[in-house]
Amino acid sequence: MVERARIGGQSEVVVGPGVLTEGLATELAALGLKGRVFVFSDDRVFPLHGERLLAAIRADGREASARVFPAGEPTKSLDTAFGAYDWLVERRAERGDAILALGGGVVGDLSGFVAATYLRGLPLVHAPTTLLAQIDSSIGGKAAVNHPRGKNLVGAFYPARLVLVDPRALLTLPRRDLASGWAEVVKTAMILDPEMLDLLVEQSRALLEPDLDPTTEVIRRSIQHKVDVVAEDPTERGRRVILNYGHTIAHALESATGYGQLLHGEAVAIGMRGAARISCRLGLLAESDAARQGVAVAAFGLPSRVRDLGVEPPPSEAVLGAMLLDKKVQERAVRWVLLEGIGRTTVRSDVPASLVREVVEELL
Ligand SMILES: NC(=O)c1ccc[n+]([C@@H]2O[C@H](COP(=O)([O-])OP(=O)(O)OC[C@H]3O[C@@H](n4cnc5c(N)ncnc54)[C@H](O)[C@@H]3O)[C@@H](O)[C@H]2O)c1
Ligand SMILES: [Zn+2]
């Protein structure tokens, strides 16, 4: 069997090259999952990884079947969820059967939502295939679909029973998606782990290949950080807010440019630059630490401004307006996750609007 790391917490997380194909049936049995497995995937991922996964689930005679959705954010909708319910009803899915999400965050969030609600909860297994899903969206139990009026508006906290993180799946991931996922790891390093920041810079070329050894190690470390933060605050009422470093501006940029123009991690890279600048101008963060973040972002070929991506920058008014609609706004004040050093966060609600405007203009 392949070498695998286990990380406890609200879900059992298993990390290692090959975990999606070797020993999968054993993992399911070890959790006491006895029923059928309904695999949800998308039409890019399934042709690449689906058949091998089904074979691995069926290795000990278990029944498995798959439902494949169109790839892309529009799949994260109530309509798609409704179609999935119909499909489960036709198959007479029972509480002992499991849903396994094979794909990126879109498939993962949709599957989590369906698993949370169908029969008031079917066991959920995540098999994340993007870097973002491996280190972020499959960990922490957040599931959601989008509403026409807002992203992730309808959802639940519903942790997977098992998360199978196979870095080998990343070998087929487009490079732009891979780099975008590394932005989220740079974020984790900036808020929690200065040593990992150095490691990321040193290893960036190997991580962009991706070479499996260093990639597995960094993924494992990044997941451990998220698991620790989530354990302290599973329902996002306190400490978990630090994971939103860079995200106030990122979400506003994604919304103001129309979703899909910037990948999420690209928006986070730009948003982190904004948050670091605000931190510096408030006298919280040393310029040299902001510069270290800049080096890491650049090492992954990530943008520092919207125009770096060849995208028409939105008007700054649109970005500032979108910020006020963000979920992190409480009583109309934006809560900023800022830095006092690498690995040291602080949350502030008193950042002057004029400073925010100035910084946003620099990021476009
Ligand atoms: N639940 C959470 O905590 C959480 C956290 C962050 C993001 N999200 C959500 O995650 C979603 C974004 O996730 P994403 O970036 O993974 O996007 P995604 O699921 O759309 O995947 C990106 C693209 O890569 C393709 N793909 C996936 N794996 C592949 C592979 N191994 N090889 C080749 N192609 C592959 C997909 O088909 C898709 O076209 C958003 O909807 C966001 O809201 C959720
Ligand atoms: Zn994010």
Side-chain angles (χ1 to χ4, degrees), residues 189-216:
M190 289 305 297
I191 59 174
L192 291 163
D193 190 345
E195 197 185 288
M196 185 163 80
L197 189 72
D198 293 336
L199 197 69
L200 286 167
V201 173
E202 278 162 30
Q203 304 266 9
S204 57
R205 288 181 66 153
L207 296 173
L208 281 168
E209 284 295 333
D211 285 352
L212 291 182
D213 282 353
T215 299
T216 304

PDB file of all heavy atoms in Angstrom, residues 189-216:
ATOM      1  N   ALA A 189       0.305  30.048   4.788  1.00  0.00           N
ATOM      2  CA  ALA A 189       1.644  30.342   5.312  1.00  0.00           C
ATOM      3  C   ALA A 189       1.688  31.745   5.910  1.00  0.00           C
ATOM      4  O   ALA A 189       2.229  31.953   6.999  1.00  0.00           O
ATOM      5  CB  ALA A 189       2.676  30.200   4.193  1.00  0.00           C
ATOM      6  N   MET A 190       1.099  32.708   5.224  1.00  0.00           N
ATOM      7  CA  MET A 190       1.148  34.094   5.716  1.00  0.00           C
ATOM      8  C   MET A 190       0.446  34.240   7.063  1.00  0.00           C
ATOM      9  O   MET A 190       0.878  35.004   7.913  1.00  0.00           O
ATOM     10  CB  MET A 190       0.502  35.058   4.702  1.00  0.00           C
ATOM     11  CG  MET A 190       1.279  35.298   3.437  1.00  0.00           C
ATOM     12  SD  MET A 190       2.973  35.885   3.684  1.00  0.00           S
ATOM     13  CE  MET A 190       2.732  37.471   4.483  1.00  0.00           C
ATOM     14  N   ILE A 191      -0.646  33.513   7.260  1.00  0.00           N
ATOM     15  CA  ILE A 191      -1.386  33.703   8.522  1.00  0.00           C
ATOM     16  C   ILE A 191      -0.868  32.803   9.639  1.00  0.00           C
ATOM     17  O   ILE A 191      -1.071  33.100  10.806  1.00  0.00           O
ATOM     18  CB  ILE A 191      -2.910  33.499   8.341  1.00  0.00           C
ATOM     19  CG1 ILE A 191      -3.247  32.099   7.811  1.00  0.00           C
ATOM     20  CG2 ILE A 191      -3.487  34.563   7.429  1.00  0.00           C
ATOM     21  CD1 ILE A 191      -4.754  31.801   7.753  1.00  0.00           C
ATOM     22  N   LEU A 192      -0.192  31.699   9.293  1.00  0.00           N
ATOM     23  CA  LEU A 192       0.107  30.710  10.333  1.00  0.00           C
ATOM     24  C   LEU A 192       1.517  30.124  10.349  1.00  0.00           C
ATOM     25  O   LEU A 192       1.896  29.525  11.346  1.00  0.00           O
ATOM     26  CB  LEU A 192      -0.875  29.528  10.199  1.00  0.00           C
ATOM     27  CG  LEU A 192      -2.332  29.796  10.547  1.00  0.00           C
ATOM     28  CD1 LEU A 192      -3.227  28.709   9.971  1.00  0.00           C
ATOM     29  CD2 LEU A 192      -2.525  29.909  12.050  1.00  0.00           C
ATOM     30  N   ASP A 193       2.266  30.240   9.269  1.00  0.00           N
ATOM     31  CA  ASP A 193       3.443  29.378   9.179  1.00  0.00           C
ATOM     32  C   ASP A 193       4.567  30.015   8.344  1.00  0.00           C
ATOM     33  O   ASP A 193       4.737  29.690   7.165  1.00  0.00           O
ATOM     34  CB  ASP A 193       2.995  28.042   8.555  1.00  0.00           C
ATOM     35  CG  ASP A 193       4.053  26.966   8.632  1.00  0.00           C
ATOM     36  OD1 ASP A 193       5.224  27.281   8.892  1.00  0.00           O
ATOM     37  OD2 ASP A 193       3.702  25.784   8.389  1.00  0.00           O
ATOM     38  N   PRO A 194       5.359  30.900   8.981  1.00  0.00           N
ATOM     39  CA  PRO A 194       6.437  31.567   8.244  1.00  0.00           C
ATOM     40  C   PRO A 194       7.422  30.584   7.609  1.00  0.00           C
ATOM     41  O   PRO A 194       7.931  30.821   6.509  1.00  0.00           O
ATOM     42  CB  PRO A 194       7.141  32.420   9.300  1.00  0.00           C
ATOM     43  CG  PRO A 194       6.378  32.294  10.561  1.00  0.00           C
ATOM     44  CD  PRO A 194       5.251  31.347  10.378  1.00  0.00           C
ATOM     45  N   GLU A 195       7.657  29.466   8.285  1.00  0.00           N
ATOM     46  CA  GLU A 195       8.607  28.498   7.742  1.00  0.00           C
ATOM     47  C   GLU A 195       8.087  27.892   6.434  1.00  0.00           C
ATOM     48  O   GLU A 195       8.831  27.673   5.479  1.00  0.00           O
ATOM     49  CB  GLU A 195       8.787  27.404   8.791  1.00  0.00           C
ATOM     50  CG  GLU A 195       9.994  26.530   8.624  1.00  0.00           C
ATOM     51  CD  GLU A 195       9.958  25.427   9.681  1.00  0.00           C
ATOM     52  OE1 GLU A 195      10.199  25.750  10.868  1.00  0.00           O
ATOM     53  OE2 GLU A 195       9.655  24.267   9.319  1.00  0.00           O
ATOM     54  N   MET A 196       6.773  27.651   6.392  1.00  0.00           N
ATOM     55  CA  MET A 196       6.189  27.103   5.158  1.00  0.00           C
ATOM     56  C   MET A 196       6.290  28.117   4.024  1.00  0.00           C
ATOM     57  O   MET A 196       6.399  27.739   2.858  1.00  0.00           O
ATOM     58  CB  MET A 196       4.737  26.669   5.383  1.00  0.00           C
ATOM     59  CG  MET A 196       4.121  25.985   4.170  1.00  0.00           C
ATOM     60  SD  MET A 196       2.619  25.049   4.532  1.00  0.00           S
ATOM     61  CE  MET A 196       1.388  26.341   4.578  1.00  0.00           C
ATOM     62  N   LEU A 197       6.266  29.398   4.363  1.00  0.00           N
ATOM     63  CA  LEU A 197       6.403  30.420   3.322  1.00  0.00           C
ATOM     64  C   LEU A 197       7.764  30.278   2.626  1.00  0.00           C
ATOM     65  O   LEU A 197       7.852  30.303   1.398  1.00  0.00           O
ATOM     66  CB  LEU A 197       6.246  31.825   3.918  1.00  0.00           C
ATOM     67  CG  LEU A 197       6.148  32.924   2.857  1.00  0.00           C
ATOM     68  CD1 LEU A 197       4.793  32.869   2.140  1.00  0.00           C
ATOM     69  CD2 LEU A 197       6.369  34.297   3.463  1.00  0.00           C
ATOM     70  N   ASP A 198       8.813  30.086   3.409  1.00  0.00           N
ATOM     71  CA  ASP A 198      10.149  29.900   2.826  1.00  0.00           C
ATOM     72  C   ASP A 198      10.205  28.637   1.971  1.00  0.00           C
ATOM     73  O   ASP A 198      10.749  28.630   0.872  1.00  0.00           O
ATOM     74  CB  ASP A 198      11.208  29.798   3.935  1.00  0.00           C
ATOM     75  CG  ASP A 198      11.364  31.118   4.682  1.00  0.00           C
ATOM     76  OD1 ASP A 198      11.031  32.168   4.100  1.00  0.00           O
ATOM     77  OD2 ASP A 198      11.789  31.093   5.848  1.00  0.00           O
ATOM     78  N   LEU A 199       9.595  27.582   2.497  1.00  0.00           N
ATOM     79  CA  LEU A 199       9.558  26.315   1.772  1.00  0.00           C
ATOM     80  C   LEU A 199       8.845  26.483   0.418  1.00  0.00           C
ATOM     81  O   LEU A 199       9.302  25.972  -0.614  1.00  0.00           O
ATOM     82  CB  LEU A 199       8.781  25.320   2.645  1.00  0.00           C
ATOM     83  CG  LEU A 199       8.912  23.857   2.352  1.00  0.00           C
ATOM     84  CD1 LEU A 199      10.310  23.393   2.709  1.00  0.00           C
ATOM     85  CD2 LEU A 199       7.894  23.068   3.188  1.00  0.00           C
ATOM     86  N   LEU A 200       7.763  27.219   0.427  1.00  0.00           N
ATOM     87  CA  LEU A 200       7.004  27.436  -0.808  1.00  0.00           C
ATOM     88  C   LEU A 200       7.851  28.163  -1.844  1.00  0.00           C
ATOM     89  O   LEU A 200       7.840  27.814  -3.026  1.00  0.00           O
ATOM     90  CB  LEU A 200       5.735  28.248  -0.521  1.00  0.00           C
ATOM     91  CG  LEU A 200       4.605  27.493   0.175  1.00  0.00           C
ATOM     92  CD1 LEU A 200       3.529  28.462   0.686  1.00  0.00           C
ATOM     93  CD2 LEU A 200       3.964  26.481  -0.773  1.00  0.00           C
ATOM     94  N   VAL A 201       8.575  29.161  -1.399  1.00  0.00           N
ATOM     95  CA  VAL A 201       9.395  29.927  -2.341  1.00  0.00           C
ATOM     96  C   VAL A 201      10.510  29.038  -2.891  1.00  0.00           C
ATOM     97  O   VAL A 201      10.724  28.959  -4.105  1.00  0.00           O
ATOM     98  CB  VAL A 201       9.952  31.204  -1.670  1.00  0.00           C
ATOM     99  CG1 VAL A 201      10.939  31.908  -2.583  1.00  0.00           C
ATOM    100  CG2 VAL A 201       8.809  32.144  -1.294  1.00  0.00           C
ATOM    101  N   GLU A 202      11.197  28.320  -1.989  1.00  0.00           N
ATOM    102  CA  GLU A 202      12.295  27.440  -2.428  1.00  0.00           C
ATOM    103  C   GLU A 202      11.830  26.378  -3.415  1.00  0.00           C
ATOM    104  O   GLU A 202      12.536  26.020  -4.331  1.00  0.00           O
ATOM    105  CB  GLU A 202      12.874  26.685  -1.224  1.00  0.00           C
ATOM    106  CG  GLU A 202      13.875  27.451  -0.406  1.00  0.00           C
ATOM    107  CD  GLU A 202      14.025  26.790   0.975  1.00  0.00           C
ATOM    108  OE1 GLU A 202      13.846  25.551   1.085  1.00  0.00           O
ATOM    109  OE2 GLU A 202      14.271  27.537   1.932  1.00  0.00           O
ATOM    110  N   GLN A 203      10.627  25.839  -3.150  1.00  0.00           N
ATOM    111  CA  GLN A 203      10.170  24.670  -3.911  1.00  0.00           C
ATOM    112  C   GLN A 203       9.186  25.031  -5.018  1.00  0.00           C
ATOM    113  O   GLN A 203       8.595  24.136  -5.617  1.00  0.00           O
ATOM    114  CB  GLN A 203       9.455  23.689  -2.962  1.00  0.00           C
ATOM    115  CG  GLN A 203      10.281  23.251  -1.789  1.00  0.00           C
ATOM    116  CD  GLN A 203      11.003  21.948  -2.095  1.00  0.00           C
ATOM    117  OE1 GLN A 203      10.998  21.487  -3.220  1.00  0.00           O
ATOM    118  NE2 GLN A 203      11.619  21.371  -1.086  1.00  0.00           N
ATOM    119  N   SER A 204       8.986  26.316  -5.291  1.00  0.00           N
ATOM    120  CA  SER A 204       7.873  26.691  -6.174  1.00  0.00           C
ATOM    121  C   SER A 204       7.932  25.987  -7.531  1.00  0.00           C
ATOM    122  O   SER A 204       6.900  25.556  -8.051  1.00  0.00           O
ATOM    123  CB  SER A 204       7.806  28.207  -6.349  1.00  0.00           C
ATOM    124  OG  SER A 204       9.030  28.676  -6.855  1.00  0.00           O
ATOM    125  N   ARG A 205       9.144  25.843  -8.077  1.00  0.00           N
ATOM    126  CA  ARG A 205       9.209  25.203  -9.405  1.00  0.00           C
ATOM    127  C   ARG A 205       8.732  23.762  -9.340  1.00  0.00           C
ATOM    128  O   ARG A 205       7.966  23.311 -10.194  1.00  0.00           O
ATOM    129  CB  ARG A 205      10.630  25.249  -9.948  1.00  0.00           C
ATOM    130  CG  ARG A 205      10.986  26.671 -10.371  1.00  0.00           C
ATOM    131  CD  ARG A 205      12.351  26.722 -10.932  1.00  0.00           C
ATOM    132  NE  ARG A 205      12.435  25.968 -12.177  1.00  0.00           N
ATOM    133  CZ  ARG A 205      13.305  26.246 -13.126  1.00  0.00           C
ATOM    134  NH1 ARG A 205      14.157  27.228 -12.993  1.00  0.00           N
ATOM    135  NH2 ARG A 205      13.335  25.520 -14.227  1.00  0.00           N
ATOM    136  N   ALA A 206       9.187  23.043  -8.325  1.00  0.00           N
ATOM    137  CA  ALA A 206       8.783  21.639  -8.175  1.00  0.00           C
ATOM    138  C   ALA A 206       7.279  21.545  -7.899  1.00  0.00           C
ATOM    139  O   ALA A 206       6.600  20.644  -8.382  1.00  0.00           O
ATOM    140  CB  ALA A 206       9.564  20.996  -7.039  1.00  0.00           C
ATOM    141  N   LEU A 207       6.763  22.501  -7.145  1.00  0.00           N
ATOM    142  CA  LEU A 207       5.345  22.453  -6.779  1.00  0.00           C
ATOM    143  C   LEU A 207       4.446  22.771  -7.973  1.00  0.00           C
ATOM    144  O   LEU A 207       3.291  22.366  -8.018  1.00  0.00           O
ATOM    145  CB  LEU A 207       5.058  23.428  -5.632  1.00  0.00           C
ATOM    146  CG  LEU A 207       5.778  23.097  -4.314  1.00  0.00           C
ATOM    147  CD1 LEU A 207       5.559  24.213  -3.290  1.00  0.00           C
ATOM    148  CD2 LEU A 207       5.299  21.762  -3.742  1.00  0.00           C
ATOM    149  N   LEU A 208       5.012  23.494  -8.947  1.00  0.00           N
ATOM    150  CA  LEU A 208       4.215  23.808 -10.136  1.00  0.00           C
ATOM    151  C   LEU A 208       4.261  22.687 -11.170  1.00  0.00           C
ATOM    152  O   LEU A 208       3.506  22.696 -12.136  1.00  0.00           O
ATOM    153  CB  LEU A 208       4.690  25.121 -10.762  1.00  0.00           C
ATOM    154  CG  LEU A 208       4.200  26.397 -10.064  1.00  0.00           C
ATOM    155  CD1 LEU A 208       4.958  27.616 -10.571  1.00  0.00           C
ATOM    156  CD2 LEU A 208       2.700  26.589 -10.243  1.00  0.00           C
ATOM    157  N   GLU A 209       5.170  21.698 -10.969  1.00  0.00           N
ATOM    158  CA  GLU A 209       5.263  20.615 -11.968  1.00  0.00           C
ATOM    159  C   GLU A 209       3.977  19.778 -12.029  1.00  0.00           C
ATOM    160  O   GLU A 209       3.495  19.529 -13.141  1.00  0.00           O
ATOM    161  CB  GLU A 209       6.474  19.740 -11.660  1.00  0.00           C
ATOM    162  CG  GLU A 209       7.806  20.379 -12.052  1.00  0.00           C
ATOM    163  CD  GLU A 209       7.907  20.570 -13.550  1.00  0.00           C
ATOM    164  OE1 GLU A 209       7.266  19.796 -14.294  1.00  0.00           O
ATOM    165  OE2 GLU A 209       8.587  21.495 -13.973  1.00  0.00           O
ATOM    166  N   PRO A 210       3.424  19.220 -11.004  1.00  0.00           N
ATOM    167  CA  PRO A 210       3.909  19.170  -9.634  1.00  0.00           C
ATOM    168  C   PRO A 210       4.694  17.879  -9.360  1.00  0.00           C
ATOM    169  O   PRO A 210       4.265  16.808  -9.746  1.00  0.00           O
ATOM    170  CB  PRO A 210       2.600  19.141  -8.836  1.00  0.00           C
ATOM    171  CG  PRO A 210       1.625  18.422  -9.734  1.00  0.00           C
ATOM    172  CD  PRO A 210       2.077  18.616 -11.151  1.00  0.00           C
ATOM    173  N   ASP A 211       5.864  18.036  -8.703  1.00  0.00           N
ATOM    174  CA  ASP A 211       6.602  16.863  -8.207  1.00  0.00           C
ATOM    175  C   ASP A 211       5.855  16.324  -6.997  1.00  0.00           C
ATOM    176  O   ASP A 211       5.524  17.092  -6.080  1.00  0.00           O
ATOM    177  CB  ASP A 211       8.019  17.262  -7.757  1.00  0.00           C
ATOM    178  CG  ASP A 211       8.937  17.503  -8.939  1.00  0.00           C
ATOM    179  OD1 ASP A 211       8.513  17.210 -10.074  1.00  0.00           O
ATOM    180  OD2 ASP A 211      10.051  18.004  -8.717  1.00  0.00           O
ATOM    181  N   LEU A 212       5.642  15.019  -6.986  1.00  0.00           N
ATOM    182  CA  LEU A 212       4.717  14.485  -5.978  1.00  0.00           C
ATOM    183  C   LEU A 212       5.259  14.534  -4.551  1.00  0.00           C
ATOM    184  O   LEU A 212       4.502  14.766  -3.616  1.00  0.00           O
ATOM    185  CB  LEU A 212       4.269  13.073  -6.342  1.00  0.00           C
ATOM    186  CG  LEU A 212       3.359  13.027  -7.577  1.00  0.00           C
ATOM    187  CD1 LEU A 212       2.920  11.590  -7.859  1.00  0.00           C
ATOM    188  CD2 LEU A 212       2.135  13.924  -7.439  1.00  0.00           C
ATOM    189  N   ASP A 213       6.572  14.345  -4.360  1.00  0.00           N
ATOM    190  CA  ASP A 213       7.076  14.308  -2.979  1.00  0.00           C
ATOM    191  C   ASP A 213       6.904  15.641  -2.251  1.00  0.00           C
ATOM    192  O   ASP A 213       6.236  15.697  -1.218  1.00  0.00           O
ATOM    193  CB  ASP A 213       8.536  13.840  -2.925  1.00  0.00           C
ATOM    194  CG  ASP A 213       8.636  12.323  -3.088  1.00  0.00           C
ATOM    195  OD1 ASP A 213       7.558  11.672  -3.099  1.00  0.00           O
ATOM    196  OD2 ASP A 213       9.756  11.805  -3.225  1.00  0.00           O
ATOM    197  N   PRO A 214       7.504  16.725  -2.772  1.00  0.00           N
ATOM    198  CA  PRO A 214       7.310  17.991  -2.055  1.00  0.00           C
ATOM    199  C   PRO A 214       5.837  18.416  -2.038  1.00  0.00           C
ATOM    200  O   PRO A 214       5.366  18.998  -1.057  1.00  0.00           O
ATOM    201  CB  PRO A 214       8.165  18.999  -2.841  1.00  0.00           C
ATOM    202  CG  PRO A 214       8.440  18.374  -4.159  1.00  0.00           C
ATOM    203  CD  PRO A 214       8.382  16.881  -3.954  1.00  0.00           C
ATOM    204  N   THR A 215       5.110  18.115  -3.103  1.00  0.00           N
ATOM    205  CA  THR A 215       3.702  18.529  -3.164  1.00  0.00           C
ATOM    206  C   THR A 215       2.908  17.841  -2.057  1.00  0.00           C
ATOM    207  O   THR A 215       2.125  18.479  -1.343  1.00  0.00           O
ATOM    208  CB  THR A 215       3.112  18.188  -4.552  1.00  0.00           C
ATOM    209  OG1 THR A 215       3.856  18.919  -5.527  1.00  0.00           O
ATOM    210  CG2 THR A 215       1.645  18.560  -4.651  1.00  0.00           C
ATOM    211  N   THR A 216       3.122  16.544  -1.898  1.00  0.00           N
ATOM    212  CA  THR A 216       2.396  15.810  -0.859  1.00  0.00           C
ATOM    213  C   THR A 216       2.712  16.384   0.515  1.00  0.00           C
ATOM    214  O   THR A 216       1.820  16.583   1.350  1.00  0.00           O
ATOM    215  CB  THR A 216       2.778  14.308  -0.904  1.00  0.00           C
ATOM    216  OG1 THR A 216       2.518  13.822  -2.221  1.00  0.00           O
ATOM    217  CG2 THR A 216       1.983  13.493   0.105  1.00  0.00           C
TER     218      THR A 216
END
